[in-house]
């Protein structure tokens, strides 16, 4: 069974600074990987996904993530954060031909002025 | 507009009083799922459905029931709610024909059981 670890529970970053959120997964083969964002009081919105091919994936809102098979990681990055990026971010892993998604515990991002 | 809707958005109830949270999607998706979100635990899958009349347990099914009589609807039933079911619940849907396996989430239902 697959699983996901997000080591950072809470990150505080200054507006305009770069952001990196860590995600480590456990799965026996090449997984499907996702990053979702949840703004306060909202549902989950897909930021980006990886299935195969180029290991650097571009998403919405200026986010990108890099799949590193050797490290079992799929870290999310943004070069310059905006106050509107304050939210909770979830990494999720899925298996091919299986719709089950396993989510990490989430990382809360606070953006200070 | 393509969307997943849930009702109610907020619900406060008492222990043992049966309740149903509705979920509906207008994207003709085959796959639907229910998750609960608790602080520090992320989202955990309760039940899922691959198509009409096909449902299966997720990771935390105890205390919940579901049904899938129509493709667009996937209600979550708590026949005898208990305080440990106080949580934020999300419904999601996805298309089996899409290569992306992207799940679309509803806005959430915050349930409090006293």
């Amino acid at each position: 069974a697959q699983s996901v670890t997000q080591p950072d529970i809470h990150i505080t970053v200054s507006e305009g600074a770069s952001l990196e959120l860590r995600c480590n997964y456990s799965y026996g083969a090449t997984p499907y990987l996702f990053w979702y964002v949840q703004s306060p009081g909202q549902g989950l919105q897909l930021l980006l996904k990886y299935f195969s091919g180029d290991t650097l994936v571009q998403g919405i809102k200026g986010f990108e993530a890099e799949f590193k098979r050797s490290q079992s990681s799929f870290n999310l990055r943004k070069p310059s954060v905006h106050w509107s990026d304050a939210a909770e971010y979830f990494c999720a892993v899925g298996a091919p031909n299986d719709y089950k998604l396993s989510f990490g515990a989430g990382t809360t991002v606070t953006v200070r002025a | 507009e393509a969307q997943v809707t849930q009702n109610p958005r907020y619900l406060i109830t008492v222990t043992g009083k049966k309740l149903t949270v509705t979920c509906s999607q207008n994207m003709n998706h085959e796959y639907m799922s229910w998750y609960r979100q608790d602080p520090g635990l992320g989202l955990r899958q309760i039940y899922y459905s691959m198509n009409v009349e096909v449902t299966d347990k997720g990771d935390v099914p105890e205390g919940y029931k579901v049904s899938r009589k129509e493709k667009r609807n996937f209600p979550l039933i708590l026949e005898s709610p208990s305080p440990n079911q106080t949580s934020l619940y999300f419904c999601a849907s996805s298309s089996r024909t899409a290569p992306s396996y992207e799940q679309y989430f509803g806005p959430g239902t915050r349930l409090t059981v006293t």
Side-chain angles (χ1 to χ4, degrees):
Chain A
Q2 63 263 32
S3 65
V4 177
T5 300
Q6 293 180 246
D8 304 303
I9 297 173
H10 190 203
I11 287 179
T12 299
V13 60
S14 298
E15 191 169 16
S18 63
L19 174 68
E20 181 167 11
L21 304 182
R22 295 184 290 166
C23 172
N24 294 102
Y25 68 89
S26 173
Y27 183 66
T30 300
Y32 291 169
L33 294 161
F34 306 82
W35 274 101
Y36 284 86
V37 61
Q38 183 182 26
S39 298
Q42 304 296 313
L44 278 74
Q45 181 182 24
L46 181 68
L47 284 176
L48 47 78
K49 55 185 180 279
Y50 172 80
F51 297 125
S52 64
D54 192 345
T55 56
L56 186 62
V57 180
Q58 302 297 320
I60 63 172
K61 304 186 179 189
F63 284 92
E64 66 177 26
E66 186 172 12
F67 171 59
K68 292 187 177 180
R69 183 191 307 275
S70 61
Q71 299 177 17
S72 298
S73 69
F74 188 57
N75 294 348
L76 181 72
R77 299 192 292 256
K78 185 169 184 177
S80 177
V81 299
H82 185 262
W83 63 266
S84 60
D85 293 322
E88 190 162 18
Y89 293 79
F90 292 94
C91 182
V93 61
N97 300 315
D98 184 351
Y99 279 75
K100 178 180 173 58
L101 281 184
S102 295
F103 285 82
T107 298
T108 300
V109 173
T110 298
V111 180
R112 59 181 174 221
Chain B
E1 179 190 354
Q3 61 182 348
V4 178
T5 58
Q6 296 178 226
N7 282 293
R9 294 289 312 277
Y10 302 91
L11 179 60
I12 300 174
T13 190
V14 296
T15 299
K17 185 176 181 182
K18 181 179 178 179
L19 66 92
T20 299
V21 183
T22 64
C23 172
S24 182
Q25 50 92 5
N26 62 2
M27 295 169 279
N28 201 37
H29 285 169
E30 294 83 4
Y31 178 87
M32 297 185 75
S33 181
W34 276 102
Y35 296 87
R36 60 177 289 174
Q37 182 184 5
D38 301 290
L41 297 177
L43 279 79
R44 293 177 292 168
Q45 191 179 51
I46 302 170
Y47 269 95
Y48 65 94
S49 169
M50 296 299 291
N51 216 325
V52 175
E53 302 292 0
V54 180
T55 64
D56 207 349
K57 297 177 181 179
D59 297 320
V60 288
E62 293 78 20
Y64 304 95
K65 286 178 60 177
V66 293
S67 69
R68 187 93 182 271
K69 293 183 170 54
E70 303 169 282
K71 197 172 187 179
R72 63 183 292 126
N73 296 323
F74 190 45
L76 179 69
I77 303 157
L78 286 72
E79 297 217 325
S80 184
S82 62
N84 65 12
Q85 293 179 297
T86 293
S87 188
L88 180 58
Y89 291 86
F90 288 101
C91 181
S93 72
S94 181
S95 171
R96 295 179 67 181
T97 59
S100 68
Y101 289 74
E102 176 179 349
Q103 294 196 21
Y104 295 82
F105 285 81
T109 295
R110 185 166 293 281
L111 172 66
T112 301
V113 183
T114 62

